[in-house]
Protein backbone atom coordinates (compact mmCIF):
# COMPACT_ATOMS: atom_id res chain seq x y z
CA UNK A 1 0.00 0.00 0.00
CA UNK A 2 2.76 2.44 1.02
CA UNK A 3 4.56 1.53 -2.22
CA UNK A 4 1.38 2.30 -4.18
CA UNK A 5 1.02 5.75 -2.57
CA UNK A 6 4.74 6.41 -3.15
CA UNK A 7 4.37 5.64 -6.88
CA UNK A 8 1.17 7.69 -7.08
CA UNK A 9 2.83 10.76 -5.56
CA UNK A 10 5.79 10.45 -7.98
CA UNK A 11 3.32 10.26 -10.91
CA UNK A 12 1.40 13.30 -9.64
CA UNK A 13 4.65 15.23 -9.19
CA UNK A 14 5.81 14.41 -12.74
CA UNK A 15 2.39 15.39 -14.11
CA UNK A 16 2.44 18.73 -12.33
CA UNK A 17 5.99 19.47 -13.58
CA UNK A 18 5.03 18.65 -17.17
CA UNK A 19 1.90 20.83 -16.91
CA UNK A 20 3.74 23.89 -15.60
CA UNK A 21 6.71 23.56 -17.98
CA UNK A 22 6.44 25.94 -20.92
CA UNK A 23 6.85 24.55 -24.42
CA UNK A 24 10.30 25.70 -25.59
CA UNK A 25 10.16 28.60 -28.04
CA UNK A 26 10.52 27.46 -31.65
CA UNK A 27 13.15 28.90 -33.99
CA UNK A 28 12.37 31.68 -36.45
CA UNK A 29 14.34 31.12 -39.65
CA UNK A 30 14.00 34.03 -42.03
CA UNK A 31 14.03 33.28 -45.73
CA UNK A 32 12.90 29.66 -45.36
CA UNK A 33 9.56 27.99 -46.13
CA UNK A 34 7.16 28.63 -43.23
CA UNK A 35 4.47 25.91 -43.18
CA UNK A 36 1.04 26.64 -41.68
CA UNK A 37 -1.14 24.12 -39.81
CA UNK A 38 -1.82 22.36 -43.13
CA UNK A 39 1.87 22.15 -44.05
CA UNK A 40 1.52 24.83 -46.74
CA UNK A 41 3.88 27.84 -46.96
CA UNK A 42 2.15 30.83 -45.35
CA UNK A 43 0.63 33.11 -47.98
CA UNK A 44 0.36 36.52 -46.26
CA UNK A 45 2.73 38.92 -47.98
CA UNK A 46 3.15 42.67 -47.39
CA UNK A 47 1.47 41.82 -44.12
CA UNK A 48 0.81 43.20 -40.70
CA UNK A 49 -0.01 41.82 -37.31
CA UNK A 50 -2.80 42.43 -34.80
CA UNK A 51 -2.68 41.13 -31.22
CA UNK A 52 -6.14 40.69 -29.80
CA UNK A 53 -7.19 38.89 -26.59
CA UNK A 54 -4.21 36.55 -26.44
CA UNK A 55 -4.01 35.71 -30.14
CA UNK A 56 -1.86 37.10 -32.94
CA UNK A 57 -3.58 37.64 -36.29
CA UNK A 58 -1.35 37.95 -39.34
CA UNK A 59 -3.00 39.56 -42.37
CA UNK A 60 -1.38 39.68 -45.78
CA UNK A 61 -1.68 39.44 -49.53
CA UNK A 62 -2.43 36.06 -51.03
CA UNK A 63 -0.04 35.65 -53.97
CA UNK A 64 -0.54 33.08 -56.69
CA UNK A 65 2.17 31.12 -58.52
CA UNK A 66 2.11 33.22 -61.66
CA UNK A 67 0.92 36.75 -60.82
CA UNK A 68 1.05 39.35 -58.07
CA UNK A 69 -2.50 40.43 -58.91
CA UNK A 70 -5.20 39.54 -56.37
CA UNK A 71 -6.70 36.20 -57.40
CA UNK A 72 -7.87 35.18 -53.90
CA UNK A 73 -7.87 38.20 -51.59
CA UNK A 74 -6.58 39.10 -48.16
CA UNK A 75 -5.52 36.20 -45.96
CA UNK A 76 -5.49 35.80 -42.20
CA UNK A 77 -3.48 33.36 -40.05
CA UNK A 78 -3.78 33.06 -36.28
CA UNK A 79 -1.29 31.99 -33.63
CA UNK A 80 -0.79 31.98 -29.86
CA UNK A 81 3.01 31.85 -30.01
CA UNK A 82 4.02 33.55 -33.30
CA UNK A 83 5.47 30.30 -34.67
CA UNK A 84 2.50 27.91 -35.10
CA UNK A 85 0.07 29.44 -37.59
CA UNK A 86 -3.48 28.37 -38.39
CA UNK A 87 -4.80 29.32 -41.81
CA UNK A 88 -8.06 31.27 -41.22
CA UNK A 89 -8.62 31.63 -44.96
CA UNK A 90 -9.36 34.64 -47.16
CA UNK A 91 -11.02 37.10 -44.77
CA UNK A 92 -11.62 39.59 -47.57
CA UNK A 93 -11.98 37.53 -50.76
CA UNK A 94 -11.87 39.10 -54.21
CA UNK A 95 -15.19 39.51 -56.01
CA UNK A 96 -15.58 36.83 -58.68
CA UNK A 97 -18.66 37.95 -60.62
CA UNK A 98 -19.55 41.62 -60.19
CA UNK A 99 -17.23 43.33 -62.69
CA UNK A 100 -18.17 46.77 -61.30
CA UNK A 101 -16.64 45.90 -57.94
CA UNK A 102 -13.36 47.65 -57.01
CA UNK A 103 -12.05 44.32 -55.77
CA UNK A 104 -12.89 42.18 -58.79
CA UNK A 105 -10.44 39.28 -59.21
CA UNK A 106 -7.32 40.54 -61.05
CA UNK A 107 -7.19 43.90 -59.25
CA UNK A 108 -4.18 44.64 -57.00
CA UNK A 109 -4.65 44.46 -53.22
CA UNK A 110 -1.46 45.24 -51.35
CA UNK A 111 -0.11 45.67 -47.83
CA UNK A 112 -3.34 45.13 -45.82
CA UNK A 113 -3.27 46.20 -42.18
CA UNK A 114 -5.95 45.62 -39.54
CA UNK A 115 -6.54 47.60 -36.36
CA UNK A 116 -9.13 47.16 -33.60
CA UNK A 117 -11.37 50.03 -32.63
CA UNK A 118 -12.05 49.89 -28.86
CA UNK A 119 -15.06 52.23 -29.15
CA UNK A 120 -16.92 50.54 -32.00
CA UNK A 121 -15.56 47.02 -31.22
CA UNK A 122 -14.90 46.60 -34.94
CA UNK A 123 -11.86 45.34 -36.78
CA UNK A 124 -10.90 47.81 -39.50
CA UNK A 125 -8.78 46.88 -42.52
CA UNK A 126 -7.12 49.35 -44.87
CA UNK A 127 -5.15 48.29 -47.92
CA UNK A 128 -3.65 49.69 -51.12
CA UNK A 129 -5.95 49.09 -54.07
CA UNK A 130 -5.23 49.29 -57.78
CA UNK A 131 -8.12 48.85 -60.17
CA UNK A 132 -8.09 45.90 -62.53
CA UNK A 133 -6.03 46.42 -65.71
CA UNK A 134 -5.01 49.97 -64.73
CA UNK A 135 -1.47 49.17 -63.57
CA UNK A 136 -0.56 51.27 -60.53
CA UNK A 137 -2.37 54.42 -61.71
CA UNK A 138 -5.36 54.44 -59.36
CA UNK A 139 -3.25 54.64 -56.15
CA UNK A 140 -6.34 54.25 -53.98
CA UNK A 141 -6.86 53.29 -50.36
CA UNK A 142 -9.60 50.83 -49.56
CA UNK A 143 -11.35 50.08 -46.28
CA UNK A 144 -13.23 47.04 -44.96
CA UNK A 145 -14.73 46.21 -41.57
CA UNK A 146 -15.52 43.11 -39.52
CA UNK A 147 -16.99 42.11 -36.15
CA UNK A 148 -14.39 39.38 -35.76
CA UNK A 149 -10.64 39.34 -36.37
CA UNK A 150 -11.10 36.31 -38.60
CA UNK A 151 -13.66 38.09 -40.77
CA UNK A 152 -15.58 38.04 -42.93
CA UNK A 153 -14.60 41.65 -43.68
CA UNK A 154 -17.25 43.74 -45.36
CA UNK A 155 -15.77 45.83 -48.16
CA UNK A 156 -16.82 49.49 -47.77
CA UNK A 157 -15.19 51.69 -50.42
CA UNK A 158 -11.96 52.97 -51.98
CA UNK A 159 -10.63 56.33 -53.07
CA UNK A 160 -7.89 58.91 -53.03
CA UNK A 161 -7.23 60.68 -49.74
CA UNK A 162 -8.22 64.08 -48.33
CA UNK A 163 -9.40 65.78 -51.59
CA UNK A 164 -9.16 69.57 -51.55
CA UNK A 165 -7.17 69.66 -48.30
CA UNK A 166 -3.59 70.84 -47.80
CA UNK A 167 -1.27 69.56 -45.02
CA UNK A 168 -2.28 71.22 -41.75
CA UNK A 169 1.26 72.44 -41.03
CA UNK A 170 1.80 74.28 -44.34
CA UNK A 171 3.11 77.79 -43.70
CA UNK A 172 1.96 80.94 -45.49
CA UNK A 173 5.31 81.09 -47.33
CA UNK A 174 5.04 77.46 -48.46
CA UNK A 175 1.48 78.14 -49.60
CA UNK A 176 2.68 81.11 -51.67
CA UNK A 177 5.37 78.98 -53.34
CA UNK A 178 2.82 76.21 -54.02
CA UNK A 179 0.62 78.75 -55.79
CA UNK A 180 3.44 79.53 -58.23
CA UNK A 181 4.20 75.89 -59.19
CA UNK A 182 2.96 74.92 -62.66
CA UNK A 183 3.07 71.31 -63.90
CA UNK A 184 3.78 72.41 -67.47
CA UNK A 185 7.08 73.98 -66.36
CA UNK A 186 8.39 70.62 -65.19
CA UNK A 187 7.81 68.22 -68.07
CA UNK A 188 11.24 66.62 -67.63
CA UNK A 189 11.43 64.39 -64.55
CA UNK A 190 14.45 63.79 -62.26
CA UNK A 191 16.20 67.12 -62.94
CA UNK A 192 17.37 69.17 -59.90
CA UNK A 193 14.67 71.78 -60.63
CA UNK A 194 12.00 69.06 -60.82
CA UNK A 195 13.14 67.58 -57.47
CA UNK A 196 12.94 71.01 -55.91
CA UNK A 197 9.43 71.48 -57.26
CA UNK A 198 8.38 68.03 -55.95
CA UNK A 199 9.81 68.97 -52.55
CA UNK A 200 7.72 72.15 -52.59
CA UNK A 201 4.55 70.27 -53.54
CA UNK A 202 4.24 70.06 -57.34
CA UNK A 203 2.41 66.70 -57.17
CA UNK A 204 0.60 67.60 -53.95
CA UNK A 205 -0.95 70.48 -55.89
CA UNK A 206 -1.55 68.30 -58.98
CA UNK A 207 -3.61 65.84 -56.87
CA UNK A 208 -5.27 68.37 -54.57
CA UNK A 209 -8.66 68.37 -56.23
CA UNK A 210 -9.10 64.60 -56.69
CA UNK A 211 -7.33 63.54 -53.50
CA UNK A 212 -3.83 62.36 -52.73
CA UNK A 213 -2.34 59.12 -54.07
CA UNK A 214 -1.61 56.30 -51.62
CA UNK A 215 0.33 53.11 -52.42
CA UNK A 216 2.54 51.32 -49.84
CA UNK A 217 0.89 51.86 -46.49
CA UNK A 218 0.84 51.32 -42.76
CA UNK A 219 -1.60 51.89 -39.89
CA UNK A 220 -0.63 52.95 -36.39
CA UNK A 221 -2.78 53.23 -33.26
CA UNK A 222 -1.28 55.54 -30.67
CA UNK A 223 -1.56 55.20 -26.88
CA UNK A 224 -4.55 57.59 -26.85
CA UNK A 225 -6.49 55.40 -29.31
CA UNK A 226 -6.04 57.78 -32.26
CA UNK A 227 -5.14 55.98 -35.48
CA UNK A 228 -2.98 57.12 -38.36
CA UNK A 229 -2.62 56.06 -41.97
CA UNK A 230 0.92 56.37 -43.35
CA UNK A 231 1.37 55.96 -47.09
CA UNK A 232 3.63 56.61 -50.07
CA UNK A 233 1.97 59.49 -51.87
CA UNK A 234 2.79 61.90 -54.70
CA UNK A 235 3.92 59.11 -57.09
CA UNK A 236 5.85 57.39 -54.27
CA UNK A 237 8.00 60.48 -53.84
CA UNK A 238 6.66 61.72 -50.50
CA UNK A 239 5.17 59.97 -47.47
CA UNK A 240 2.00 61.31 -45.88
CA UNK A 241 0.80 60.71 -42.33
CA UNK A 242 -2.96 61.20 -42.07
CA UNK A 243 -5.23 61.01 -39.04
CA UNK A 244 -8.17 58.60 -39.18
CA UNK A 245 -11.63 59.40 -37.84
CA UNK A 246 -12.74 58.07 -34.43
CA UNK A 247 -14.25 54.96 -36.02
CA UNK A 248 -11.08 54.51 -38.15
CA UNK A 249 -13.24 54.30 -41.29
CA UNK A 250 -12.31 57.62 -42.91
CA UNK A 251 -9.74 60.43 -42.83
CA UNK A 252 -10.20 63.58 -40.76
CA UNK A 253 -8.36 65.84 -43.22
CA UNK A 254 -5.44 66.40 -40.84
CA UNK A 255 -2.16 65.27 -42.39
CA UNK A 256 1.52 66.10 -42.87
CA UNK A 257 4.13 65.33 -45.52
CA UNK A 258 7.27 63.43 -44.52
CA UNK A 259 10.59 63.40 -46.42
CA UNK A 260 9.30 65.22 -49.52
CA UNK A 261 10.96 63.98 -52.74
CA UNK A 262 12.69 61.29 -50.63
CA UNK A 263 11.21 58.32 -52.55
CA UNK A 264 10.18 56.16 -49.59
CA UNK A 265 8.05 52.99 -49.71
CA UNK A 266 7.09 50.25 -47.25
CA UNK A 267 6.68 52.35 -44.07
CA UNK A 268 6.75 50.40 -40.79
CA UNK A 269 6.30 52.35 -37.57
CA UNK A 270 6.65 51.77 -33.83
CA UNK A 271 6.84 53.86 -30.70
CA UNK A 272 9.31 53.34 -27.88
CA UNK A 273 9.78 55.53 -24.82
CA UNK A 274 7.74 58.32 -26.41
CA UNK A 275 9.75 58.36 -29.66
CA UNK A 276 8.17 57.38 -32.99
CA UNK A 277 10.45 55.30 -35.23
CA UNK A 278 9.78 54.64 -38.88
CA UNK A 279 11.64 52.20 -41.10
CA UNK A 280 11.10 52.50 -44.86
CA UNK A 281 12.64 51.30 -48.11
CA UNK A 282 13.60 53.04 -51.32
CA UNK A 283 11.64 52.46 -54.54
CA UNK A 284 13.06 49.70 -56.72
CA UNK A 285 9.97 47.64 -57.57
CA UNK A 286 10.29 44.06 -56.28
CA UNK A 287 14.09 44.35 -55.89
CA UNK A 288 15.52 44.95 -52.45
CA UNK A 289 17.32 48.17 -51.56
CA UNK A 290 18.75 49.88 -48.50
CA UNK A 291 16.36 50.55 -45.63
CA UNK A 292 15.97 54.03 -44.24
CA UNK A 293 14.98 55.14 -40.74
CA UNK A 294 13.36 58.26 -39.30
CA UNK A 295 12.40 59.31 -35.77
CA UNK A 296 10.18 62.01 -34.30
CA UNK A 297 9.01 63.19 -30.88
CA UNK A 298 5.44 63.47 -32.20
CA UNK A 299 3.59 61.65 -34.98
CA UNK A 300 3.40 65.05 -36.72
CA UNK A 301 7.16 65.43 -36.63
CA UNK A 302 9.64 66.94 -37.00
CA UNK A 303 11.04 63.71 -38.49
CA UNK A 304 14.80 63.24 -38.43
CA UNK A 305 16.57 60.89 -40.83
CA UNK A 306 19.00 58.29 -39.41
CA UNK A 307 21.41 55.90 -41.14
CA UNK A 308 20.22 52.49 -42.39
CA UNK A 309 19.15 50.55 -39.25
CA UNK A 310 20.37 47.24 -40.76
CA UNK A 311 23.95 46.27 -40.00
CA UNK A 312 26.33 43.51 -41.14
CA UNK A 313 26.49 41.48 -44.36
CA UNK A 314 23.80 42.28 -46.94
CA UNK A 315 22.49 45.13 -44.77
CA UNK A 316 22.75 47.48 -47.77
CA UNK A 317 19.94 45.40 -49.32
CA UNK A 318 17.90 44.94 -46.11
CA UNK A 319 19.07 41.28 -46.17
CA UNK A 320 17.19 40.83 -49.45
CA UNK A 321 13.86 42.06 -48.04
CA UNK A 322 11.56 45.08 -47.87
CA UNK A 323 9.96 46.28 -44.64
CA UNK A 324 6.28 45.61 -43.97
CA UNK A 325 5.61 45.91 -40.22
CA UNK A 326 7.12 46.23 -36.76
CA UNK A 327 5.40 44.14 -34.10
CA UNK A 328 5.59 45.27 -30.49
CA UNK A 329 5.32 41.92 -28.68
CA UNK A 330 3.00 42.62 -25.74
CA UNK A 331 4.08 39.78 -23.41
CA UNK A 332 7.75 40.81 -23.51
CA UNK A 333 9.61 43.88 -22.33
CA UNK A 334 10.86 46.26 -25.05
CA UNK A 335 10.31 43.56 -27.67
CA UNK A 336 10.02 44.91 -31.21
CA UNK A 337 10.22 42.59 -34.20
CA UNK A 338 11.06 43.79 -37.70
CA UNK A 339 9.03 42.08 -40.42
CA UNK A 340 9.96 42.21 -44.11
CA UNK A 341 9.19 40.45 -47.40
CA UNK A 342 11.63 38.77 -49.74
CA UNK A 343 9.69 39.15 -52.99
CA UNK A 344 9.80 36.47 -55.69
CA UNK A 345 8.18 38.20 -58.70
CA UNK A 346 8.76 35.17 -60.98
CA UNK A 347 6.78 32.97 -58.59
CA UNK A 348 5.03 35.39 -56.22
CA UNK A 349 3.61 32.67 -53.93
CA UNK A 350 7.16 31.58 -53.11
CA UNK A 351 7.99 34.96 -51.55
CA UNK A 352 9.62 34.57 -48.12
CA UNK A 353 9.56 36.38 -44.80
CA UNK A 354 12.25 38.05 -42.72
CA UNK A 355 11.54 38.44 -39.01
CA UNK A 356 14.36 39.82 -36.88
CA UNK A 357 14.52 41.36 -33.42
CA UNK A 358 15.08 45.10 -33.26
CA UNK A 359 17.97 45.84 -30.93
CA UNK A 360 18.92 49.17 -29.41
CA UNK A 361 22.26 50.88 -28.87
CA UNK A 362 22.15 54.18 -26.98
CA UNK A 363 18.41 54.18 -27.67
CA UNK A 364 18.86 53.89 -31.48
CA UNK A 365 17.30 50.84 -33.17
CA UNK A 366 19.41 48.47 -35.25
CA UNK A 367 18.75 45.15 -36.94
CA UNK A 368 21.22 42.37 -37.63
CA UNK A 369 20.69 39.16 -39.54
CA UNK A 370 20.21 35.94 -37.59
CA UNK A 371 19.90 32.60 -39.39
CA UNK A 372 17.83 31.29 -36.50
CA UNK A 373 16.56 32.82 -33.26
CA UNK A 374 13.70 32.35 -30.80
CA UNK A 375 11.43 34.75 -28.94
CA UNK A 376 13.49 33.94 -25.81
CA UNK A 377 15.89 36.50 -27.30
CA UNK A 378 13.60 39.08 -25.69
CA UNK A 379 13.30 39.42 -21.89
CA UNK A 380 10.02 38.44 -20.29
C1 LIG B 1 7.22 47.77 -54.13
C2 LIG B 1 6.12 47.82 -53.13
O1 LIG B 1 6.63 47.94 -51.87
C3 LIG B 1 5.27 46.57 -53.24
O2 LIG B 1 4.27 46.58 -52.27
C4 LIG B 1 4.72 46.54 -54.63
O3 LIG B 1 3.86 47.63 -54.82
C5 LIG B 1 5.84 46.58 -55.64
N1 LIG B 1 6.67 47.73 -55.43
C6 LIG B 1 5.32 46.60 -57.06
O4 LIG B 1 6.39 46.74 -57.95
Amino acid sequence: MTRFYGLLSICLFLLSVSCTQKEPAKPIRSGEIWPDNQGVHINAHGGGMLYHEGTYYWYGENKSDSTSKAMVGIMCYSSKNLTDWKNEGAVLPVELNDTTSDIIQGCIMERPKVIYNEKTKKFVMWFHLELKDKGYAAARSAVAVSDLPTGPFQYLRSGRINPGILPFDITADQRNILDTLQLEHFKEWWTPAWYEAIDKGLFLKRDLEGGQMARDMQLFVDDDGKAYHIYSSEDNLTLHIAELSEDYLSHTGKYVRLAPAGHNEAPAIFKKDGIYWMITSGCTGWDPNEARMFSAPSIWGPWTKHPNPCIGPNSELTFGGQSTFVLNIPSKKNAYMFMADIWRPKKPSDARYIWLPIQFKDGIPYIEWMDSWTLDFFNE
Side-chain angles (χ1 to χ4, degrees), residues 143-177:
V143 60
V145 67
S146 170
D147 291 330
L148 295 173
T150 48
F153 279 80
Q154 185 201 348
Y155 179 73
L156 296 181
R157 64 177 188 283
S158 76
R160 291 276 180 99
I161 299 178
N162 289 329
I165 303 172
L166 287 171
F168 84 91
D169 60 344
I170 193 167
T171 63
D173 282 352
Q174 288 168 336
R175 183 67 221 256
N176 289 337
I177 294 172

Side-chain angles (χ1 to χ4, degrees), residues 46 61 63 68 108 110-111 128 130 136 215-217 232 236 265-267 281-287 289 322-323 341 343:
E61 306 158 22
K63 298 241 181 241
S68 268
I108 293 173
E110 286 185 345
R111 298 186 176 264
H128 164 206
E130 295 293 348
Y136 277 83
R215 294 198 183 114
D216 282 11
M217 56 146 283
S232 303
N236 289 353
E265 277 190 329
S281 74
C283 299
T284 48
W286 300 112
D287 294 333
N289 54 53
Q322 188 184 27
S323 42
D341 297 282
W343 302 114

Side-chain angles (χ1 to χ4, degrees), residues 165-331:
I165 303 172
L166 287 171
F168 84 91
D169 60 344
I170 193 167
T171 63
D173 282 352
Q174 288 168 336
R175 183 67 221 256
N176 289 337
I177 294 172
L178 195 70
D179 287 343
T180 66
L181 295 175
Q182 303 293 338
L183 259 189
E184 54 272 25
H185 296 160
F186 300 95
K187 291 220 167 87
E188 198 186 336
W189 285 40
W190 316 118
T191 65
W194 177 88
Y195 266 113
E196 197 186 329
I198 293 294
D199 184 348
K200 294 189 167 142
L202 184 69
F203 287 176
L204 178 84
K205 182 176 174 184
R206 177 196 67 186
D207 296 334
L208 191 59
E209 200 182 320
Q212 299 298 323
M213 301 173 97
R215 294 198 183 114
D216 282 11
M217 56 146 283
Q218 191 58 252
L219 297 179
F220 178 70
V221 180
D222 212 336
D223 306 328
D224 59 4
K226 272 189 196 263
Y228 301 89
H229 185 194
I230 300 135
Y231 47 91
S232 303
S233 193
E234 304 178 31
D235 268 301
N236 289 353
L237 284 151
T238 299
L239 289 163
H240 289 187
I241 302 179
E243 187 182 67
L244 292 178
S245 55
E246 270 201 29
D247 60 9
Y248 302 168
L249 297 177
S250 60
H251 295 82
T252 63
K254 185 173 183 182
Y255 73 101
V256 290
R257 301 169 79 217
L258 195 175
H263 236 155
N264 286 279
E265 277 190 329
I269 185 170
F270 66 101
K271 187 180 180 185
K272 181 175 183 287
D273 303 330
I275 304 286
Y276 299 78
W277 294 96
M278 193 183 299
I279 298 173
T280 67
S281 74
C283 299
T284 48
W286 300 112
D287 294 333
N289 54 53
E290 189 172 55
R292 295 103 180 262
M293 185 165 70
F294 301 85
S295 72
S298 149
I299 191 84
W300 301 124
W303 289 88
T304 305
K305 193 167 182 202
H306 297 265
N308 175 9
C310 301
I311 60 164
N314 212 14
S315 57
E316 71 288 356
L317 289 180
T318 318
F319 316 114
Q322 188 184 27
S323 42
T324 186
F325 197 75
V326 172
L327 175 68
N328 182 2
I329 301 172
S331 57

